[in-house]
Amino acid sequence: MTHAWPMPGSSSSHIPKLKPWLICTLLSLFATHSHCNGGLDIPQEVNLSTNIDSHRSQQLSISWLGGTASTFDLIVLRTEFNETVFYETVTATQENGRHHWNWTSAEPLKCTSLSVRLRSRDGQKTSDWSTTVIYRGLDDPSQTGSRMFPQDPVVLVGDNITVCCIVGERKEFGNIRYNSTVMDSVRLSRRSYATTKTNLKASTLTGTNVFCSSALNLLTGTVVFVGYPPLPTDLVCETRDLTSVICQWSPGNTHLHASRRTFYTLNGRDCAEANPKKPPTDCRLPEWAGNWTLVARNPLGQSSLSYSAQLSHRVHPVAPANLTAVAHAWNATLLWDWEYATYAPLALACQVEITLDGHVKKRTFSGAGLRSVALLDLVPVTEYQVRVSCGAQQNFWKWGSWSKTLAFRTEIDVPEAPDLWVSLDKDDTGNVMGQFIWKPLTHRQSHGEITGYELNLWSPEENVQHTETLAPGTYETPVNLTHMAAAGRVVATLTARNAAGVSPPVSIVIPKPKSDPEPGAVSRVAGAGGGFPLSWASNPNASQGYVVEWQEATCLHDCPVHWTKVAAERANVSLVSDSFRAGVRYILSLYGCSPDSTELLQRWQGYTQELVPISAVPSLTTNQRNSDIELTWQEIPVADRRGFLLGYRVYLITDRQLTLFANLSGPGSRSYTVKNLPVKFYKFTVKAYTSAGEDTGSTASITMASYTDWLLLEILASLGTMTLFLFIVTFVCYKKRKWVKKAFYPDIPEPKLAGDWSRTQGPLDVKPHANSMVHIVDESAWDSSKEKLVVIPEEDEDEERGVRDDPVDTDEPMSIRYYNQVVDERPIRPRYPDSSESSASSLDSARTDVTYTGIQTSGSSLAFRAEPMFSQGGQQPQGGFPVSPAGRGGGYRPQVQPEVPGPDPLPVAPQSFPEPQPEKGGSFGSYQPQCLWQLDSPGDGDGDGDEGSIGAPSMGSPTSVASTQFLLPQEEEGGSEGEGSSSATTWLHNLLSSTKS
């Protein structure tokens, strides 16, 4: 237990002035203190000694004589600056009457001079201070040189170190650098400076430099070695000669070398060093001890290891010596010697390492004192490399050292039987061509250099034999088998020859030529692991096994053929070959072999690994069909598919993105139609895909034209076609106008009276319409006051019938009915409805006046007014159509027949008619042909009246006996349509009439 006390003897350059009362108090205390010191001895004969072998031993050993006290006050000061370094109460040890205590300095003891004083203490009682004892440092004025301490210290990794620099007289201190780092320093004395480096790292082989420099020059320096104490591991002891012992260990890395390296002793004996620059890793002793202790020492500490074992459990044989070989074609014998005779009774296990073509195999043998072994199943004419290593068979410890490598070569022997196959095909002329192929014999199969081959073909049925001798480098030969195959079974035999003799023969029965397989006869097989796993139903006829043949499906001529043979008891095989390539389609054929035939049993096709198609869809085109776009493309060649096609995908490219439009399953798709698209620019991509993915795709773009334009083009094309057709028809009709007129528009013959018209004709039994009455007035004397025929409107007629009771003009003749007169019974031909027109007129042949009381259509009754020129007294008549005067030939000439007056004739208003003039050649009662009916000119004059210009259609108008033309044509409502029809009819009539001669 130490206690800190006020530091006595401290000097001060300035002593404050004390007051009288304070002086009295101090003197009283001093007197009391002097009284307390009584009875305690002052330490005497203080002695200082040091141990500075390392920075860890920078201790100042202090001893003194101090009486019976057990505690002392110790003060240590730096002498030059009188600075307190240590001041504590310590408990000292006592030995031989002297007290001892060790004080460790933070700085090397040689850096500066130290002053030491002691006093005894017993509780509160203390003695006087001992005489000051000074430990002289090297900064004493008598030492004028520059120095640095400690010199070349060895420090443990992670510790701290304090170094000091003593500057020479008349030198100026600059700094202290640890390696390249400038350190903070503390001044210890006038010439001494110190610095501390903490948490040291392991140093390099040459240590870490520390420099002390002035402002201009390097003054001095030191090297610090930072490392670890020794820590060896894995101590093992064994014997090699069954007598001595060798122990080995792992030294570990202490980062200390040369004179600071680790030194070892084994069972107290120094271990010789093979290389002083490196620590030893083994140590030898002449006798087996059974127990061993290894001690390792270096400047930072020491450690030890122990090991124990029995001799027979730690046998490590040496390498066999003088290894030799006696070689034959298929075996060899190895022989060797042992270095120590003590191995003769030892049971050994030896391993022989055999190297062939870079491949290493090991074979193990055993025996007492083993000195030779026999190597079997070697390959003729082959060079081997061997070496031997042995170990104890009982209580095996480890394999011994390897012998030197020995090389030897086996002898020659006859070749093995070649692997023969034949591929048959038919040429264009129908000849059966056989390509006999066999695999080259490897070095392990040839047993020497091949000098040639012999191929023999034999037909047992015809006993015909054909032999060919082939050069050594030949592995296939074509043979025309047309004649031999036609005779029946053909057997092919092949042998190989070398210097040792002829190989065993290999024979096959030539199969039938291959034909194109039927659809569905070739099944698919999926590849796996770079090959094809095949299986089939066992065939009892394949007593000599099976042959699996394969070749590329896309090859057409001179295709390389590969095959493998399978034992008869197997019904599966996993085909793996260096010839297989990913993305290539192969055709595989299975043959069953028997002594009498070789039969094709099954065929497959497949890929070892499917890839994406190598080429894009060829010839992608687009075609617009109204609002649809049709995409078409061609088939991808089989060689470019690199897998079984599963179908096609149609994408629409929008904003650099692909949008799936359609997925067409099945490889047979060649087109796709995108329907109902708006008019704009489109870009499509079509990609074929297999199970491995899609190809890069083919792209086609199209800008759609407005399909209304197409519609207009179609309409124009249709109109053009129709126009051309009409033009052709018109041209033909014009060229053949006589025939057309004759066939479709013959001349109307002049009317002729047939039979005897003097006798009275019976009326035609046709019931007329109730309002279709014609009143005929027969006057024997012409009354010039009656200017014209008057048409009585239907309304007036009704009034006369039902309302009016006016008297009837007695000058009017009686009313007769109108009858059509049948003159000709020939069938009536249809005529154009507008080819002739009729108008209401009067009958002129008998100077009679005709009054139409009502011409009624199917839907309405029309009233006709008379022309103004025929009215009496300048007033407008009530009739709608005028009667043409005699001689103009434009009026209606109806046929008449007197009617017996009925019981109730209709009254007729008295009218005045002009006397019509008979036509030339006409007579009373004769037929008068009808003139054209003018729709646009119902009157013969001016047409001044507004109502007189309106045409009135007619239903049931009378016709000519020789014509089907209505005398009063029917007119649809609407004057424009009637005019157009009339114009067209007139044009055609004029055209046809122009042919008339």
Side-chain angles (χ1 to χ4, degrees), residues 430-649:
N431 294 328
V432 179
M433 301 301 298
Q435 188 74 14
F436 290 90
I437 49 179
W438 57 93
K439 297 178 181 178
L441 295 175
T442 63
H443 177 75
R444 296 174 59 90
Q445 296 170 332
S446 61
H447 304 163
E449 184 179 0
I450 299 296
T451 59
Y453 297 93
E454 185 174 280
L455 177 64
N456 182 272
L457 302 177
W458 175 55
S459 175
E461 285 77 3
E462 303 240 344
N463 196 20
V464 177
Q465 189 168 347
H466 173 74
T467 302
E468 289 189 17
T469 301
L470 305 170
T474 304
Y475 305 112
E476 60 180 293
T477 181
V479 177
N480 191 334
L481 300 174
T482 304
H483 300 293
M484 297 186 71
R489 185 166 59 101
V490 178
V491 180
T493 303
L494 181 69
T495 57
R497 181 184 299 273
N498 66 5
V502 179
S503 70
V506 56
S507 299
I508 62 169
V509 178
I510 298 175
K512 296 180 180 180
K514 291 182 291 186
S515 58
D516 294 334
E518 297 179 359
V522 180
S523 57
R524 288 186 180 182
V525 59
F532 293 101
L534 302 178
S535 60
W536 57 88
S538 180
N539 191 315
N541 295 329
S543 58
Q544 293 185 345
Y546 303 91
V547 174
V548 180
E549 173 196 87
W550 68 88
Q551 63 184 21
E552 295 183 10
T554 56
C555 182
L556 300 178
H557 302 286
D558 299 329
C559 304
V561 179
H562 306 273
W563 71 95
T564 186
K565 293 183 178 179
V566 183
E569 62 272 12
R570 296 184 58 186
N572 60 78
V573 67
S574 180
L575 289 183
V576 178
S577 174
D578 295 337
S579 65
F580 287 143
R581 293 179 296 150
V584 176
R585 184 183 297 187
Y586 293 92
I587 296 294
L588 303 98
S589 304
L590 174 68
Y591 293 88
C593 301
S594 67
D596 298 328
S597 66
T598 300
E599 181 183 1
L600 177 63
L601 302 178
Q602 191 171 351
R603 300 188 77 179
W604 299 272
Q605 64 175 345
Y607 297 83
T608 58
Q609 180 184 356
E610 292 195 36
L611 303 176
V612 298
I614 194 174
S615 65
V617 174
S619 303
L620 177 62
T621 58
T622 59
N623 184 27
Q624 179 180 353
R625 297 181 180 274
N626 295 332
S627 62
D628 303 339
I629 295 179
E630 182 182 24
L631 303 173
T632 58
W633 58 89
Q634 294 182 359
E635 182 180 11
I636 298 179
V638 175
D640 295 339
R641 295 181 184 178
R642 305 206 299 177
F644 292 111
L645 285 185
L646 301 180
Y648 299 87
R649 293 191 178 107

Side-chain angles (χ1 to χ4, degrees), residues 84 112 163 265 373 451 463 534 557 648 680 786 989:
T84 299
T112 186
V163 295
T265 60
V373 294
T451 59
N463 196 20
L534 302 178
H557 302 286
Y648 299 87
K680 64 176 183 178
K786 297 179 181 180
H989 174 74

Side-chain angles (χ1 to χ4, degrees), residues 809-954:
D809 190 354
T810 57
D811 294 335
E812 295 290 336
M814 66 176 181
S815 175
I816 64 172
R817 293 185 180 273
Y818 168 79
Y819 293 92
N820 284 328
Q821 182 176 352
V822 179
V823 178
D824 195 350
E825 296 181 357
R826 291 177 297 176
I828 301 173
R829 290 192 300 266
R831 303 291 296 262
Y832 291 100
D834 294 335
S835 60
S836 63
E837 299 178 1
S838 303
S839 63
S841 62
S842 62
L843 183 60
D844 187 47
S845 58
R847 295 185 180 268
T848 61
D849 293 336
V850 179
T851 301
Y852 288 169
T853 60
I855 306 298
Q856 184 175 346
T857 63
S858 63
S860 62
S861 299
L862 301 177
F864 301 91
R865 298 180 183 273
E867 290 290 334
M869 60 181 297
F870 296 107
S871 63
Q872 295 179 3
Q875 294 185 1
Q876 181 75 21
Q878 299 298 321
F881 287 87
V883 178
S884 298
R888 298 183 62 179
Y892 169 67
R893 302 294 188 268
Q895 313 305 314
V896 296
Q897 195 60 270
E899 180 182 353
V900 179
D904 191 14
L906 294 177
V908 180
Q911 297 291 342
S912 176
F913 296 92
E915 182 180 357
Q917 298 296 327
E919 289 187 354
K920 183 179 179 180
S923 61
F924 178 81
S926 65
Y927 173 81
Q928 301 296 329
Q930 314 305 313
C931 69
L932 292 178
W933 179 272
Q934 300 294 338
L935 287 175
D936 51 353
S937 183
D940 66 334
D942 304 328
D944 295 337
D946 293 337
E947 297 180 1
S949 62
I950 301 175
S954 172

